[in-house]
Amino acid sequence: MHHSLKEVQQLTGHTDQVWCVAWSPSGSLLASCGGDKTIRIWGKEDKSWVCKSLLTDAHTRTIRALSWSPCGQYLAAASFDATTSIWSRKSGEFECLATLEGHENEVKCVGWACTGNLLATCARDKSVWIWEVTADEEFECASVLSTHTQDVKCVKWHPACELLASCSYDDTIRLYHEASDDWESCAMLKGHSSTVWSVDFNKDGHRIVSAGADASLKIWQDYEPGNPEGIATPDNLPVWKCVCTIGGHHERPIYSVNWCSLSGMIATASGDDSLCVYQEISTEDARNAPKFEIAVRQKAAHLEDINCVSWNPVQKGLLASCSDDGNIKIWQLQKE
Amino acid sequence: MSELDNANPLVFEITKDRQILPEEEDDSVTDKFDRREIFDLIRVINDPEHPLTLEELNVVVESNIKVDDDKNSVYVEFVPTIPHCSMATLIGLSIRVKLLRSLPPRFKVDVKIAPGTHESELAVNKQLADKERVAAALENSHLLELVNQCLSKRATG
């Protein structure tokens, strides 16, 4: 291990478990949400992070997940009350612009596509919804995808194109794209032995990392039609294959995984109260058989389960985590 | 009320109250959680169907509990009265909630059906282990009421 995590600051304020932390695209704001049904927006003043806004009254139950639009002007919040709220900060203050209804029960995650024109939500009702964002700030349901057989835990868009990944209590990952006027599932990634809690793409979008209740990480590589390895690509669609499984570092479920687009490092958060950071090491066949080593294992990073971990998109090595203990922590990755 | 899953359950004798030792009342002695303490917390939980406790129905027994105070872990296995008991999830949830409410938050609590004692063992175990589903269930007022009924002190008369 050649790295360590230095605790920069602990952010207190939430009165119940904190489920999600999300950096704004500029990296200057951190949004958080949780069991207290509020959203807090944190920003830096002088040298410390402070709560700049407290958004309340939009949801009647736990707020589970947040996602910023790529322009940084909108924030979407998914709630157990079956709705997703959309907040705008164009006026300078956060205002609730719309509430998206349609899911039958708890919405578990929300994600904004790289173009800013699409939004995805997923729920315990086993469905993934794709919403189109119109020019006049309206949200219309473009598709309801019911390919998972269980609770859908997380949705994540490709960093450069309109390809969506989702993962589920049914132990699988699904990918979706728009084909001849409608959205469809174009791949199923099977390998985890229990619930897949979280997925993320790497910087160029050719890899996916997934993590879940089996306490392991899997790295998936895409093989496009005509790939040099000669891997068959039925229907001329890219095929995703698991090229690496990393286990043995977490003792309980991994609830969140985040792939840093600046450093290429992967951070994980677990129910064992620890955070891990992994880095890829050079090998002969890095594309088909990559190797990762653990760079940091931060035991007792929080007092209880850690639910989410997120790299700052601008400041390299700056990491945020949040926990059932009600706190958020900001960390700086350091070389030893 | 609809028909009971198990209309005539076997009733077992309950354990005697724990003898409190002098050192346990001494605040200067660090007292680790043990199996009996966990058992005392959950043996009084009411069965959702019968006017009996989980101990009286042999759903929970002390030997099916593992505690490691140093590692902050509590592990409980329970035995549904019959292999197709439709109340298994509710019983498991009640045990989980009772322990979450009673123990310090440092503890990791795992509640499972004893192997081979229920038809949907794996499905129920997976559901009980899913913290997000448990959190959502406890925000559901109907379900919370059922759990609280299991956890309330039954009026004796």
Side-chain angles (χ1 to χ4, degrees):
Chain A
M1 297 201 201
H2 314 288
H3 292 79
S4 65
L5 282 175
K6 184 187 167 225
E7 189 180 324
V8 176
Q9 199 185 326
Q10 174 163 281
L11 312 181
T12 55
H14 280 289
T15 56
D16 200 336
Q17 66 187 140
V18 190
W19 276 111
C20 179
V21 279
W23 293 102
S24 63
S26 69
S28 61
L29 297 175
L30 180 72
S32 62
C33 64
D36 66 6
K37 311 175 186 76
T38 69
I39 300 167
R40 283 175 181 262
I41 310 287
W42 310 82
K44 216 169 178 183
E45 265 176 25
D46 294 324
K47 279 185 177 169
S48 60
W49 294 87
V50 295
C51 183
K52 297 230 175 194
S53 312
L54 176 64
L55 316 181
T56 56
D57 302 327
H59 292 288
T60 56
R61 291 182 59 187
T62 284
I63 304 177
R64 176 66 181 88
L66 300 166
S67 176
W68 292 88
S69 63
C71 66
Q73 294 300 310
Y74 305 101
L75 180 68
S79 168
F80 283 179
D81 70 9
T83 71
T84 304
S85 59
I86 310 290
W87 301 77
S88 166
R89 62 179 184 119
K90 282 189 167 165
S91 70
E93 291 202 5
F94 284 87
E95 285 170 29
C96 189
L97 190 72
T99 302
L100 313 186
E101 291 173 11
H103 280 293
E104 286 170 27
N105 44 40
E106 297 93 318
V107 186
K108 301 288 180 77
C109 190
V110 57
W112 224 297
C114 60
T115 53
N117 299 327
L118 294 170
L119 194 73
T121 55
C122 63
R124 185 165 62 88
D125 65 14
K126 305 171 190 173
S127 69
V128 172
W129 289 47
I130 311 256
W131 307 80
E132 256 171 56
V133 187
T134 66
D136 48 355
E137 298 185 330
E138 301 234 345
F139 295 78
E140 286 166 8
C141 176
S143 190
V144 175
L145 299 154
S146 303
T147 34
H148 280 295
T149 58
Q150 293 285 348
D151 198 354
V152 190
K153 297 298 194 186
C154 170
V155 282
K156 192 83 191 195
W157 288 92
H158 187 283
C161 65
E162 290 180 341
L163 176 71
L164 178 71
S166 67
C167 58
S168 162
Y169 189 87
D170 70 10
D171 309 350
T172 70
I173 298 153
R174 289 268 181 182
L175 298 178
Y176 314 85
H177 68 167
E178 195 174 13
S180 57
D181 221 36
D182 201 7
W183 285 79
E184 62 173 29
S185 170
C186 53
M188 178 174 71
L189 282 54
K190 230 174 161 173
H192 283 286
S193 61
S194 190
T195 300
V196 189
W197 279 102
S198 183
V199 279
D200 199 9
F201 285 92
N202 73 338
K203 187 187 178 182
D204 65 16
H206 289 298
R207 276 188 180 163
I208 288 173
V209 60
S210 58
D214 62 10
S216 77
L217 284 175
K218 286 187 185 290
I219 309 284
W220 310 79
Q221 171 74 43
D222 73 339
Y223 293 91
E224 284 169 345
N227 64 79
E229 288 81 4
I231 290 166
T233 53
D235 302 325
N236 239 18
L237 290 170
V239 166
W240 292 76
K241 286 195 172 295
C242 179
V243 289
C244 182
T245 298
I246 310 162
H249 302 112
H250 285 299
E251 289 158 15
R252 297 189 64 88
I254 302 173
Y255 292 119
S256 173
V257 61
N258 190 224
W259 207 326
C260 181
S261 60
L262 303 174
S263 66
M265 287 187 158
I266 295 170
T268 52
S270 164
D272 65 8
D273 309 351
S274 77
L275 291 171
C276 283
V277 177
Y278 302 86
Q279 63 184 346
E280 191 169 355
I281 49 176
S282 58
T283 48
E284 232 167 82
D285 189 8
R287 176 170 144 99
N288 303 303
K291 281 196 175 138
F292 287 79
E293 67 172 14
I294 188 153
V296 183
R297 187 179 183 189
Q298 189 77 26
K299 286 191 169 187
H302 282 269
L303 298 173
E304 294 178 49
D305 288 12
I306 310 178
N307 296 316
C308 182
V309 64
S310 179
W311 293 104
N312 186 292
V314 177
Q315 253 183 284
K316 201 169 167 178
L318 198 67
L319 191 68
S321 62
C322 62
S323 163
D324 281 356
D325 68 15
N327 293 322
I328 296 159
K329 282 187 179 180
I330 308 222
W331 310 83
Q332 179 66 50
L333 184 74
Q334 292 180 323
K335 277 206 165 157
E336 292 267 270
Chain B
M1 194 171 168
S2 56
E3 245 177 83
L4 297 177
D5 271 357
N6 182 4
N8 292 305
L10 272 176
V11 180
F12 294 77
E13 222 175 290
I14 64 165
T15 327
K16 289 202 178 80
D17 279 347
R18 176 190 177 116
Q19 263 194 312
I20 295 169
L21 305 168
E23 58 263 36
E24 289 176 312
E25 291 190 325
D26 181 352
D27 285 343
S28 64
V29 176
T30 311
D31 188 11
K32 287 183 181 178
F33 280 90
D34 61 23
R35 196 153 84 171
R36 178 62 204 256
E37 269 173 296
I38 304 300
F39 184 56
D40 280 344
L41 287 169
I42 62 176
R43 69 188 181 111
V44 292
I45 296 173
N46 303 314
D47 181 81
E49 284 190 323
H50 304 98
L52 296 163
T53 65
L54 296 188
E55 182 185 22
E56 286 168 318
L57 290 168
N58 225 27
V59 171
V60 292
V61 295
E62 194 178 335
S63 57
N64 277 351
I65 298 170
K66 284 184 202 146
V67 184
D68 188 331
D69 190 286
D70 296 326
K71 288 188 174 159
N72 300 323
S73 91
V74 171
Y75 180 85
V76 176
E77 277 179 3
F78 66 101
V79 180
T81 52
I82 41 168
H84 53 270
C85 174
S86 61
M87 296 290 163
T89 311
L90 180 59
I91 292 170
L93 188 62
S94 300
I95 296 172
R96 214 189 144 89
V97 172
K98 173 80 188 203
L99 294 175
L100 290 178
R101 285 180 185 168
S102 314
L103 295 173
R106 67 184 166 92
F107 277 101
K108 304 293 179 188
V109 175
D110 291 302
V111 177
K112 288 185 178 175
I113 291 180
T117 65
H118 196 272
E119 285 164 357
S120 316
E121 181 188 325
L122 293 179
V124 174
N125 286 348
K126 190 169 184 179
Q127 207 161 349
L128 289 172
D130 186 317
K131 65 180 279 188
E132 189 180 51
R133 287 198 178 197
V134 170
L138 297 180
E139 283 186 358
N140 175 328
S141 56
H142 171 66
L143 204 51
L144 188 63
E145 199 182 314
L146 292 177
V147 168
N148 284 337
Q149 276 169 16
C150 292
L151 300 186
S152 66
K153 226 179 181 164
R154 201 161 1 102
T156 45

